[in-house]
Amino acid sequence: MLYRDGDPIADTRAPEGPLETRWERRRFSARLVNPANRRKLTIAVVGTGLAGGSAAATLGELGYNVLSFCYQDSPRRAHSIAAQGGINAAKNYAGDGDSVHRLFHDTIKGGDFRSRESNVHRLAEVSTSIIDQCVAQGVPFAREYGGLLDTRSFGGAQVSRTFYARGQTGQQLLLGAYQALARQVHAGSVRSFPRTEMLDLVVSDGRARGVVVRDLVTGEVTTHLADAVVLATGGYGNVFHLSTNAKGCNTTAIWRAHKRGALFANPCYTQIHPTCIPVSGDHQSKLTLMSESLRNDGRVWVPVEAGDSRPPDQVPESERDYYLERIYPSFGNLVPRDIASRAAKAVCDAGRGVGPGGLGVYLDFADAIARLGRDTVAARYGNLFEMYQRITDEDPYQVPMRIYPAVHYTMGGLWVDYDLRSTIPGLFVIGEANFSDHGANRLGASALMQGLADGYFVLPAVIGDYLADGPFGPVDPNAVDEAEDGVRELVSTLLTIKGDRTPESFHRELGRLMWDLCGMERSEDGLRKALERIPSLREEFWRRLKVTGTGGELNQALEKAGRVADFLELAELMCVDALHRSESCGGHFRVESQTAEGDARRDDDRFSYVAAWEFTGVGEPPMLHREQLHFEAVRPTVRSYK
Amino acid sequence: MALTLQRGSLGRQGFPRRLWSSTVGKKAVMAVTGGILLAYVVAHMVGNLTIFLGDIDGYGVFLRRLLAPVLGHGGFVWVIRVVLLLAVVLHMTAAIQLARRAARARPVGYARRPRVQGGYAARTMRWGGVIIALFVVYHLLDLTAGVLNPHGVEGQIHANVIADFQHWYVVAAYTLAVVALGLHLRHGMWSALRSLGRAPGASSVMALVVSVGITVGFLSVPYAVLFGIVR
Amino acid sequence: MRYRVRVWRQTGPTAKGQLVDYEIDGVTAEMSFLEMLDVLNERLQLEGDDPVAFDHDCREGICGACGVMIDGVAHGPGKATTTCQLHMRQFDPADPIVVEPWRAAPFPVLRDLVVDRTALDRVIEAGGYISTRAGAAPDAHALPVPKPDADTAFEAAACIGCGACVAACPNGSSMLFTAAKATHLGVLPQGQPERYTRARDMVETQDDLGFGGCTLTGECTAVCPKGIPLSTISRLNHDVLSAVLRSG
């Protein structure tokens, strides 16, 4: 049995009635905590990326007692920092017809009609405040000569609504949030715990009441109690081993919360980013993204003929296939990510790929350089070109870039309602760690928007409604002991297997398996194969793992082993979800469900729901709770970018 | 491994203490006192060059008579000496304190450490300063107190100078010190402007021109004596 | 290809460390420097030894986590490059590569090549921000910023807080790091109200933390992976002195 059916689930917190005023009404109806009481309430925020950093800072500003945790050596290093392209906002500064409704519409459509209207509309509303907030903090967005903010366009949109800071938008936004956080640390409202990894959630009397953490320097396992816990620990793309995520990104926090009872929604929705630097060898430890913004001016092509191994400059114009422009004339090179990625895979599968191994397509700037001049191209993309050259030793001003899709983002995550509450009372989940806003595919420049919307504006506005019932009384000491003992036991188990394989080798094997069988294209056969192999790989892990050193010291192999253990469990759930969802939608492409032209075929009659999974035990069939999606403002249509 | 720091410590009250307690403040003090010393060095060099006019002894008399009605005979020279002494003490104290702080900031060095960027002048500031300080002591004993001078008669500046620079080793020591001074000034001027928060575009060219000018000016006297141009 | 490396090994903050020689086979030119260390670590673990601990995360040159002295140069031989963006094609297999941690009293070694850089967080906490509150901001276009100022701010804001400037500075000074933040915020109109006190407070904090004083040797900018210019330090000095002069 693959899974068991459970009761349907519903989001009970979004107000009914007109979509446009739901957020306003919810903010008004949410109860408040008076300032004197906020000091007495402790909130643990795990993760310091755009969502976690901005949430911790803002909750600190409101006067709550905030504990902020991150595994990195500084909150400023969270992987949001690597986002390159930009952040969407419905400011309509470009005067090209943008509006909150259009951003809402584009995001719903971009997500292939698998997200909640109420959440997405709120995101579009809040987007404008994010830009105001960041400018006030001193985020150095790109500006025009008149001193006003510049914007550019991104995949899946026909308006120019993406604000950016060269190719370092994520860095600048994160530093803004980090600085706001630093200010609160200085003020004493936030206590920062870097190099500290959350390893379990304390649940007492049915409420999330704290986190069990391991100090990554001393190895000490301790518990921090709180009145609410916020997880902002990012996505789980590293289940694929090779991805654009940072090496440390992991699923541990959300997975262990899942094992404590939080439902995990849509785990199979994975975004494959179309513009990454191709893999160069077996040793490769990570994939590097080239910002999607490059598709504004770069043209994607492959040779018309399969097996054409001439260097790009010797392929005449007539023998080049600008396949995105050919197949999708109205969006051209700016089609959404899932479509661009799959198109690249299709041409490579047809033997027309370029570069070593044939797993690559050209992204050519020759026309842009001829049209705009080298200086303008350098001003827009200079740092990306440099990065590309450093890695590949090729000069993209002279030779077209070679790109190939890579795992980049996970739309799935812990299930939350409109108030960002998970199914464990007191456990809030924000940013990439939740599932809420991007449906089956995220549009470019929307991750930064969601992370900051959740952290600066949404969570601070609704968390009071939960905390108004607090303080929640003493925590059951047995619950703390049980969680701490579990963590200590896990650490000691990992250290005492003393087998003959490193954590890295298991991670690499799992990643390859997932990429081959649950990657850009999924089939029933492949997924069934994966579901056979993952449990046996997991069994091998617990038999043959080798971790040197002890638990009472800085031990990076031990950290890695714990994360791989969780990936080995999550991978199975992803495959179950992918197998059960026999339609294609967004980032989830089932070969059995495609049109004659090879486009994704959605099945709204059967799958217009969020799949929220309940943990029932390792290797046990999970329980599926369906949340039906209702579309009032946008009617689901076949997503066309042609 | 928590690093502790104390905010608002007692050393931070009032302008002078706040300035002196900060590394930036100390560098500013070094920049200002360095500027005073530079002005003196320029005046000193111009004074030296009067030897080519043949009346350096008269220049000495002139200095002692300057502002004599107010300060008494030789008073002006003593005022200058006091100002210089203060400047030197502040300049050296700040330099020594910063050097000791730097040593504390890197208790364990690198096993391999090639030179990367800093120019020769920048790297030799501290040793150059020590050479200059040692030379100043010798120079005062030689030509001010006359104790180490082969001629050594007060007021007979010309004769004292001629007596000195007959000897190649005196000229060599003098050359070493003046070159050290030139290098010190070159980075010093460039750095002082930045320490005071200015970074004019032409500052490195200007610093080079001034320091070369001072070096040549000072060296012209001993070599003129050594080669018999000035007798 | 076979490379020889000499790596600083130290089991804990108070342990005594030493350079240890290793030979690594099967290194290719496309490998990154950290991937070379990965290969070494895989082998060490299988042999039952502790792998070499080093900080790293994004491996695309932006998070600032990585950073070691390679042959005495912070972040190694590449110009304006982080350690993770170095590739083995930049190294000659004939010469052993010496790998050491950042050295500075405020950056104590935690293990092998890992140092504690929380001192840099303390500097930012002392004032490296513009005091605003979420939800209270005026419209972004209410405050135009001249493009040259925006560009100067951006150039300084590119700092990734890796600590290479401290590691390279003969004085162990964090001045370039602090100057980058003071410049980023100090040239923007939003940053004016706190401009002088921000600069003063950050510098006084870095002094308290035991960093050395800046003597403008320029070693910092030579190794800065983001090319933060030395002119930011002049600006910081100006702002600090202005604040101190006003403190009466």
Side-chain angles (χ1 to χ4, degrees):
Chain A
M1 188 173 47
L2 195 61
Y3 62 91
R4 287 183 290 159
D5 277 306
D7 299 330
I9 185 172
D11 172 17
T12 57
R13 300 213 188 261
E16 300 284 317
L19 188 60
E20 289 74 16
T21 57
R22 276 183 200 167
W23 176 230
E24 195 187 320
R25 284 179 288 133
R26 177 64 193 127
R27 265 190 305 176
F28 184 72
S29 67
R31 289 170 297 162
L32 301 173
V33 179
N34 91 52
N37 286 343
R38 290 183 207 149
R39 269 195 301 278
K40 299 175 199 152
L41 293 163
T42 299
I43 305 173
V45 182
V46 186
T48 58
L50 287 180
S54 59
T58 309
L59 294 171
E61 286 167 12
L62 289 172
Y64 292 106
N65 178 28
V66 178
L67 311 174
S68 163
F69 302 90
C70 65
Y71 73 79
Q72 297 91 343
D73 73 319
S74 164
R76 66 181 292 152
R77 308 213 196 280
H79 196 56
S80 303
I81 204 155
Q84 296 169 355
I87 177 165
N88 288 331
K91 280 287 197 185
N92 194 29
Y93 283 162
D96 54 2
D98 199 8
S99 63
V100 166
H101 190 79
R102 188 177 294 279
L103 175 55
F104 157 73
H105 185 276
D106 287 350
T107 307
I108 288 277
K109 178 184 170 193
D112 218 357
F113 307 96
R114 289 293 173 264
S115 44
R116 273 189 208 136
E117 280 191 339
S118 47
N119 283 55
V120 174
H121 199 278
R122 174 176 67 191
L123 179 64
E125 285 173 59
V126 169
S127 69
T128 57
S129 309
I130 296 173
I131 302 303
D132 300 339
Q133 164 73 3
C134 294
V135 166
Q137 286 176 337
V139 170
F141 283 119
R143 287 179 185 266
E144 297 167 340
Y145 280 97
L148 300 179
L149 295 167
D150 193 17
T151 50
R152 58 190 177 193
S153 44
F154 246 59
Q158 287 170 312
V159 292
S160 185
R161 66 159 74 99
T162 304
F163 295 80
Y164 67 101
R166 269 182 235 174
Q168 286 140 264
T169 317
Q171 179 198 24
Q172 293 310 320
L173 295 174
L174 183 65
L175 292 181
Y178 160 72
Q179 287 161 203
L181 183 66
R183 176 169 166 251
Q184 294 308 309
V185 171
H186 190 61
S189 57
V190 175
R191 279 170 67 203
S192 175
F193 298 88
R195 290 196 200 270
T196 304
E197 182 164 34
M198 170 182 161
L199 294 178
D200 206 353
L201 181 72
V202 176
V203 181
S204 167
D205 296 330
R207 291 180 191 273
R209 292 302 304 277
V211 289
V212 179
V213 299
R214 180 170 177 270
D215 181 321
L216 299 181
V217 177
T218 64
E220 193 186 359
V221 173
T222 53
T223 299
H224 293 272
L225 297 179
D227 296 284
V229 175
V230 179
L231 296 188
T233 54
Y236 47 88
N238 267 352
V239 70
F240 292 90
H241 183 255
L242 285 183
S243 81
T244 64
N245 285 189
K247 292 297 288 174
C249 292
N250 65 80
T251 188
T252 291
I254 57 171
W255 188 253
R256 295 189 187 177
H258 173 58
K259 290 169 91 167
R260 289 267 168 208
L263 301 189
F264 204 123
N266 299 334
C268 78
Y269 289 164
T270 312
Q271 179 163 84
I272 315 283
H273 196 289
T275 50
C276 297
I277 300 177
V279 175
S280 71
D282 291 335
H283 54 266
Q284 189 127 354
S285 62
K286 119 128 219 161
L287 296 172
T288 303
L289 179 89
M290 291 279 104
S291 168
E292 172 166 330
S293 61
L294 291 169
R295 289 198 277 143
N296 264 308
D297 289 305
R299 298 179 70 196
V300 176
W301 65 274
V302 289
V304 170
E305 290 298 322
D308 185 341
S309 59
R310 285 174 292 177
D313 57 338
Q314 287 171 28
V315 180
E317 201 61 28
S318 61
E319 293 174 40
R320 297 177 175 192
D321 179 11
Y322 294 90
Y323 58 89
L324 289 177
E325 297 169 25
R326 174 172 59 81
I327 307 172
Y328 306 100
S330 66
F331 278 70
N333 292 297
L334 283 174
V335 291
R337 292 175 172 178
D338 53 334
I339 290 175
S341 293
R342 231 170 21 250
K345 179 173 161 52
V347 296
C348 292
D349 287 351
R352 298 199 281 147
V354 299
L359 290 179
V361 300
Y362 290 125
L363 179 61
D364 199 335
F365 288 87
D367 287 356
I369 292 169
R371 176 166 43 91
L372 304 163
R374 188 187 157 117
D375 289 349
T376 305
V377 171
R380 286 186 193 167
Y381 311 112
N383 60 329
L384 297 170
F385 279 31
E386 270 169 41
M387 184 152 90
Y388 180 84
Q389 181 160 14
R390 203 170 285 152
I391 293 171
T392 63
D393 211 19
E394 290 175 359
D395 178 6
Y397 292 105
Q398 308 290 335
V399 190
M401 281 185 181
R402 283 177 299 109
I403 54 165
Y404 197 67
V407 174
H408 179 55
Y409 186 91
T410 49
M411 281 71 71
L414 293 185
W415 185 89
V416 290
D417 63 17
Y418 191 67
D419 280 5
L420 304 174
R421 298 185 187 193
S422 73
T423 47
I424 300 175
L427 179 68
F428 294 76
V429 190
I430 59 177
E432 190 180 351
N434 75 23
F435 87 106
S436 66
D437 295 354
H438 306 297
N441 175 55
R442 176 176 66 74
L443 289 180
S446 284
L448 306 187
M449 172 171 69
Q450 185 221 340
L452 291 180
D454 285 359
Y456 283 132
F457 300 106
V458 179
L459 182 75
V462 294
I463 199 169
D465 193 56
Y466 174 80
L467 290 169
D469 289 329
F472 298 105
V475 177
D476 177 7
N478 292 328
V480 174
D481 289 346
E482 187 256 330
E484 278 193 15
D485 290 348
V487 166
R488 291 202 183 92
E489 195 182 311
L490 174 70
V491 167
S492 97
T493 307
L494 292 168
L495 287 162
T496 49
I497 301 169
K498 297 203 186 298
D500 59 356
R501 285 189 63 177
T502 61
E504 176 71 16
S505 81
F506 283 105
H507 193 192
R508 203 174 277 275
E509 185 174 342
L510 174 69
R512 188 157 301 167
L513 186 159
M514 290 297 284
W515 177 247
D516 289 344
L517 302 176
C518 193
M520 237 185 304
E521 236 180 44
R522 291 122 184 220
S523 69
E524 171 151 6
D525 281 355
L527 290 166
R528 289 202 182 277
K529 204 182 291 174
L531 284 169
E532 277 168 30
R533 283 168 54 186
I534 293 166
S536 70
L537 185 62
R538 199 164 55 219
E539 181 274 328
E540 192 180 337
F541 176 87
W542 291 107
R543 189 162 46 82
R544 290 182 59 188
L545 179 73
K546 177 167 192 157
V547 179
T548 55
T550 70
E553 60 185 344
L554 196 163
N555 187 339
Q556 293 173 328
L558 176 65
E559 295 164 25
K560 172 104 195 177
R563 294 168 191 166
V564 174
D566 292 328
F567 281 134
L568 281 163
E569 293 176 11
L570 164 72
E572 192 171 8
L573 183 67
M574 288 174 71
C575 293
V576 168
D577 186 42
L579 184 56
H580 114 280
R581 189 173 284 275
S582 58
E583 65 162 351
S584 294
C585 60
H588 171 63
F589 187 81
R590 283 289 297 267
V591 289
E592 298 89 349
S593 181
Q594 53 182 312
T595 63
E597 298 94 63
D599 284 337
R601 188 162 58 208
R602 234 176 39 232
D603 185 346
D604 289 341
D605 291 342
R606 292 172 60 212
F607 290 105
S608 186
Y609 62 78
V610 173
W613 300 91
E614 180 182 339
F615 183 79
T616 57
V618 178
E620 296 296 316
M623 178 100 71
L624 172 62
H625 301 271
R626 294 180 179 83
E627 181 200 334
Q628 281 301 322
L629 292 167
H630 305 284
F631 294 92
E632 296 160 25
V634 186
R635 211 165 52 82
T637 52
V638 174
R639 200 168 57 127
S640 170
Y641 292 93
K642 288 194 169 164
Chain B
M1 269 295 121
L3 292 148
T4 53
L5 71 150
Q6 297 102 38
R7 302 293 307 147
S9 54
L10 285 172
R12 300 259 163 80
Q13 285 165 5
F15 160 66
R17 298 180 78 167
R18 193 148 202 162
L19 186 76
W20 188 250
S21 70
S22 143
T23 51
V24 168
K26 281 197 172 74
K27 281 289 287 177
V29 168
M30 287 184 71
V32 170
T33 53
I36 292 168
L37 294 170
L38 171 68
Y40 170 76
V41 160
V42 170
H44 184 11
M45 184 198 74
V46 171
N48 283 4
L49 294 180
T50 58
I51 200 165
F52 292 106
L53 304 174
D55 188 23
I56 195 166
D57 292 359
Y59 171 67
V61 173
F62 160 75
L63 281 182
R64 276 160 184 76
R65 285 186 185 157
L66 206 61
L67 296 180
V70 188
L71 301 168
H73 184 78
F76 175 75
V77 175
W78 277 105
V79 168
I80 295 293
R81 283 172 180 163
V82 169
V83 170
L84 289 178
L85 185 68
L86 265 175
V88 166
V89 166
L90 285 171
H91 196 81
M92 285 178 58
T93 308
I96 290 165
Q97 288 184 352
L98 285 170
R100 292 181 56 172
R101 171 179 266 277
R104 280 199 305 274
R106 176 151 309 127
V108 181
Y110 294 106
R112 184 184 286 190
R113 184 81 181 117
R115 301 292 177 203
V116 182
Q117 151 91 35
Y120 189 77
R123 273 187 274 121
T124 52
M125 285 306 276
R126 280 175 192 148
W127 280 112
V130 170
I131 290 171
I132 294 165
L134 291 174
F135 174 76
V136 166
V137 171
Y138 161 73
H139 194 58
L140 290 173
L141 293 173
D142 176 12
L143 288 168
T144 305
V147 186
L148 295 180
N149 191 279
H151 185 67
V153 178
E154 195 182 346
Q156 297 185 5
I157 303 170
H158 189 99
N160 290 343
V161 167
I162 300 290
D164 251 348
F165 296 135
Q166 300 293 335
H167 308 287
W168 67 267
Y169 48 85
V170 176
V171 175
Y174 193 91
T175 306
L176 174 73
V178 169
V179 169
L181 177 68
L183 288 170
H184 197 85
L185 288 177
R186 192 182 117 209
H187 182 71
M189 278 184 274
W190 180 88
S191 172
L193 287 168
R194 281 159 179 76
S195 294
L196 294 173
R198 297 278 177 265
S203 56
S204 54
V205 176
M206 192 195 71
L208 183 67
V209 168
V210 173
S211 55
V212 167
I214 287 172
T215 308
V216 170
F218 273 114
L219 288 181
S220 62
V221 175
Y223 284 92
V225 172
L226 189 68
F227 294 119
I229 299 165
V230 171
R231 292 164 186 277
Chain C
M1 281 183 287
R2 163 183 289 209
Y3 280 86
R4 285 177 295 152
V5 291
R6 305 192 70 198
V7 182
W8 183 262
R9 302 303 309 262
Q10 179 175 338
T11 54
T14 54
K16 218 172 119 55
Q18 57 176 340
L19 286 167
V20 178
D21 289 284
Y22 298 101
E23 294 199 347
I24 308 167
D25 278 318
V27 177
T28 64
E30 293 78 40
M31 257 188 210
S32 74
F33 182 82
L34 295 183
E35 284 165 356
M36 184 268 295
L37 289 182
D38 290 343
V39 171
L40 171 65
N41 279 344
E42 283 294 290
R43 192 188 86 204
L44 289 176
Q45 289 176 77
L46 292 177
E47 289 169 355
D49 292 333
D50 290 333
V52 177
F54 60 91
D55 267 324
H56 66 103
D57 205 18
C58 78
R59 295 208 179 188
E60 50 188 277
I62 194 74
C63 75
C66 68
V68 289
M69 292 299 269
I70 301 172
D71 290 333
V73 181
H75 288 307
K79 191 91 186 138
T81 299
T82 55
T83 301
C84 65
Q85 294 282 286
L86 287 176
H87 286 75
M88 293 312 290
R89 65 175 86 91
Q90 290 166 268
F91 294 90
D92 182 351
D95 304 326
I97 306 168
V98 180
V99 189
E100 299 176 80
W102 289 169
R103 297 285 190 197
F107 286 178
V109 173
L110 298 177
R111 179 170 197 138
D112 298 337
L113 304 172
V114 177
V115 300
D116 181 351
R117 288 169 291 193
T118 46
L120 298 182
D121 293 320
R122 298 290 95 77
V123 173
I124 298 298
E125 285 158 17
Y129 42 75
I130 291 171
S131 298
T132 56
R133 273 170 172 277
D139 186 88
H141 268 185
L143 191 67
V145 179
K147 188 168 165 57
D149 290 349
D151 288 348
T152 304
F154 178 85
E155 182 184 57
C159 169
I160 57 175
C162 62
C165 46
V166 178
C169 176
N171 300 311
S173 173
S174 57
M175 199 67 166
L176 193 66
F177 169 82
T178 306
K181 191 46 64 195
T183 301
H184 162 206
L185 301 175
V187 296
L188 292 173
Q190 304 91 302
Q192 294 309 307
E194 297 165 293
R195 175 175 166 188
Y196 301 103
T197 50
R198 172 191 304 122
R200 182 196 66 198
D201 292 348
M202 287 199 291
V203 164
E204 289 182 352
T205 300
Q206 71 174 11
D207 285 351
D208 289 347
L209 287 161
F211 288 104
C214 171
T215 58
L216 290 153
T217 65
E219 301 279 351
C220 49
T221 52
V223 299
C224 175
K226 298 298 154 183
I228 307 294
L230 209 56
S231 58
T232 56
I233 294 183
S234 313
R235 178 179 280 279
L236 173 61
N237 285 331
H238 172 271
D239 290 357
V240 171
L241 293 173
S242 302
V244 173
L245 285 170
R246 285 168 202 193
S247 65

